[in-house]
Amino acid sequence: MSCAICEKRKEKRFCPAVHGRICPQCCGEQREVTLDCRSDCVYLQQAREHEKPRSLTDMNPADLFVQVEVEDQFLYQHEHLIMGLTYALSKSVRADHGLKDADLIAAVTSLTKTWETLVNSGLHYENPIASAPLQAVAAEVQNMIKEYREAEQKHVGYAQLRDSEVLRALVFLVRMAHGRSSGRPKSRAFVDFLIAQFPEKPSGIAAPEEVGSRMITP
């Protein structure tokens, strides 16, 4: 039997994406490029285990907002915020199973540009987001920021979170997403990380005593 994709080489493995058997070469070349690979595919999982992580230094600096410094101390001091933002993304991917890494990166990047404009100029200019699915992701993240500030207001009497801190947290989120993704067009490596990292629960904003040492790193 020949491969269901190239129809030339001999098939050797079952591909859930095409519901047929394909050759290893097509699997390697088309994985997460033209194929919508299922997260439970054993060959995808094996590839991720042996795949070298992407280096942020090899990516476009503009995509990573290199002009914004995010220190380790900031991450530890704002662990609740980072977890809340990441949980907001996990809620989005659970609500829309069609989302890919590229969609999340696009939505968070757009949000980050909006907050960067606010921090640098004081202008509330929302960077346009084209598609409804990406708008939903951005809205989930924005709502989490709103809830975070409301929680601060309730516990300490006023909102401590500054716009510049939101910006740095979003920049960290962008960098983490790029680092966790394979970079292929249909990659869902970051999506799968989010689902595994955050089991479903009522709120992404946990009280200090409910949070252990779960620092998320790119």
Side-chain angles (χ1 to χ4, degrees), residues 27-198:
C27 178
E29 293 175 349
Q30 304 306 319
R31 181 186 301 124
E32 296 184 319
V33 178
T34 62
L35 297 176
D36 281 308
C37 299
R38 287 179 42 170
S39 300
D40 60 356
C41 174
V42 63
Y43 301 107
L44 174 63
Q45 294 173 354
Q46 290 175 356
R48 287 178 178 173
E49 289 177 2
H50 296 92
E51 195 169 48
K52 184 179 179 181
R54 298 174 75 204
S55 173
L56 296 181
T57 57
D58 296 332
M59 301 178 198
N60 185 350
D63 294 339
L64 302 176
F65 297 90
V66 293
Q67 69 278 12
V68 179
E69 292 187 14
V70 183
E71 309 87 352
D72 289 343
Q73 185 179 5
F74 170 84
L75 299 178
Y76 284 105
Q77 289 176 341
H78 296 81
E79 183 176 2
H80 289 81
L81 176 61
I82 299 295
M83 289 181 63
L85 290 172
T86 312
Y87 176 69
L89 290 184
S90 76
K91 285 181 64 179
S92 295
V93 298
R94 289 183 186 280
D96 185 348
H97 297 290
L99 290 171
K100 307 283 193 300
D101 292 351
D103 299 318
L104 298 183
I105 290 172
V108 178
T109 296
S110 182
L111 266 182
T112 305
K113 290 179 179 178
T114 295
W115 283 88
E116 186 177 40
T117 299
L118 176 61
V119 170
N120 292 338
S121 67
L123 298 176
H124 291 267
Y125 172 75
E126 291 193 10
N127 203 64
I129 300 177
S131 70
L134 270 62
Q135 290 171 4
V137 173
E140 192 68 61
V141 174
Q142 291 277 45
N143 186 60
M144 185 264 128
I145 296 170
K146 177 175 175 287
E147 288 184 357
Y148 187 94
R149 282 179 160 157
E150 289 174 349
E152 281 188 331
Q153 184 74 37
K154 179 180 178 181
H155 286 96
V156 299
Y158 61 95
Q160 298 174 307
L161 184 64
R162 294 177 292 182
D163 292 340
S164 60
E165 293 170 334
V166 174
L167 172 60
R168 282 190 281 173
L170 289 172
V171 167
F172 174 78
L173 208 62
V174 169
R175 294 172 185 173
M176 179 171 65
H178 277 291
R180 290 279 178 179
S181 175
S182 70
R184 290 185 285 270
K186 295 179 179 290
S187 171
R188 285 175 53 87
F190 180 53
V191 168
D192 290 339
F193 162 77
L194 292 171
I195 293 175
Q197 184 74 17
F198 292 94

